[in-house]
Amino acid sequence: MTHRAAFAFTVAAIILMIVNIASAATCTRGSDDPNYKFSLDYNASTEVNCNWLTKNVKKSSGRIDKYCVRGAVAYACSKTCGNPACTCADAAENIKPITVMATGNEVSCSWLDRKGQNSPRTSRRKAMYCNSNDPTIADGRITQYCPSKCDVCNASPSVEAYVSNLDPSKFNEAGLSICFDLTNGFTIAQDSASLVITNDGDSISVTAFEYNTLLGQLCTEPGVVTTDGKMDLELRADTTSGQSIELLTSVVAGSSTVTVNLLADNGDVFTGIARVSAQSADIGSVQAVADMTDGSGYVVLTNIPSRTLIVSAKGGGNEVGFAGVVPSSPGSSSSIDVFMTTFKAPSDIANNNFSQGTDGWLLPNDLIGAGGLEKVTIEAHKEDVGPGKSGGRRHRHRRAQSSLNDYDLMVNTAGVEGQTSVSRTFNVGDGVTEVKVRYRFQTNEVPGGFYGSKWNDFFFINIRTDKSDSFDSQARVIAAMNDFQLTDFDESTGEMAWEELSLVLPTTSDAIVQLDVGVANVNDELYDSSVYIDSITQVVTEVKVRYRFQTNEVPGGFYGSKWNDFFFVHIRTGSKKIQKTKNKNVSSTRATAAMNNFQLTEFDLATGEMAWKELRLVLPTASPIVQVDVGVANVNDNLYDSSVYIDSITQVAVW
């Protein structure tokens, strides 16, 4: 086995070295590769470049017809051969440039990998035929006819359009022209572009642009500029080298100013350091970030549209806050208060599945909304929700197991404009490595017909520990109705499917976890929205080893004797490396036993075999290194061998 493995490695190394000899072809759209050379049919030792194809005007047509059927030539000489898309294609199946040495048969390029890409035979064929300069092997021209199979086409540069003066991930200034450019040095052909701009359902078509010949980009004329809100852009144009391009993107622009006031739990000005993140409720990836380090208790955000803005804040003392606002009109100044919620003391009530109602949960002071509606209630669990229900996307996060206490927590806006939120703080159990929250969102705005509007209700779920020092060490989802596709909702009820949020716990084993949940009515008190929590699940990770013992002492007749062969299976772990067993940070478990520790009936008397057994170790909350030690021993002589078998080592999550 050892020699065979070494031989296989050596052959692979040789094959790799041979394949790398192949001359590469590079394609640049609209031009020929000046460095590429190919051999001639009548003289394999003569190599010419792409210019040779058209050097003799009288012969150019015949040369192109004759040599451009070679895929590598068509690729490298893309302009001359009429291959503007830089297609790297092998010669047609009826062209047979390969003469098989063993049989003399002439075959097409597809023969090279007919046994499959990963077949050893494919590697041998490519090594032998793709790179040979032996004139008996198709005069060394196989790579030119079979560039795709022989892997000699270098990746050609791609071309993509982009908005060059605006940032799709930021809030942009209103009133700016919209400019476009291309990647990799490509330029937009003048008078080839058309643009459709859609804002709040209204579309305009643009065909007149200001063209910058120096930069090769085009911009909308002064009368066509960024306007308040989300703008969907659809550009179609051609490059100067003949490719058609298309760009579908969105930008957000505005002219309003929003002052974010940070407040402590008691309503006082929050004076600690904090980072404020604001995101568009129309495109969640559009964000603005501002740090408050001067103790003033506020930050100012600019270029905000008069659409829903979701604000989140993280304090230096592990405080968090969430809120939403809609500026009253373009160019206005607005303010929003964000209460920085501190990390609470853990509850000693075990109620992550609502079997005890809302006990152990921190609820809002004003539990009753408009018309006597309750903001927080316990509801019977509904599993079959969301678009398509039984066939819906909810199956992505199907319940791992059913619950005897089948209830959900519903947090509801209850006819009140603004936010309703709850929280729960609890100690995690021993060996817990991850906390998961199963949730779903529902809004009456969808069946009410307001999807896509500025009445863009939102929700948030945030998981943090007492050791969290930034949003990066937390898990959260903060999203509004318009962040999703309409098809993500059951349009008759506004319900979405169940989803899951999880937080892998830090290395400490005594973590305290806090869950914050909220939902908000935006811009009015109509058309309520809700967020449902199914359960909070603590995940314990285990390592399992499946093993069995066998000894020839049993069929040899020595059961119960002093020739008492033994075995051991030992699982151990440390937080960073395998520690000495006296280290208190080490978790371990083991199975150590000798033949006589078992009843004779536990063995197959004819073979000395025992049944499979399982050894399990619950891992600590750290991401540890695990070591499994296995051994077996002949006792008192070297006769009648014994064995221990390992079937598998598996890591599993126990819910």
Side-chain angles (χ1 to χ4, degrees), residues 258-279:
V258 173
T259 300
V260 179
N261 298 311
L262 303 179
L263 304 175
D265 276 337
N266 61 4
D268 292 343
V269 174
F270 181 82
T271 57
I273 62 172
R275 169 160 290 185
V276 176
S277 300
Q279 72 183 59

Side-chain angles (χ1 to χ4, degrees), residues 193-198 202-209 220 224 234:
S194 64
L195 174 67
V196 177
I197 304 174
T198 303
D202 297 325
S203 298
I204 61 170
S205 296
V206 180
T207 55
F209 297 88
T220 56
V224 181
E234 183 177 346

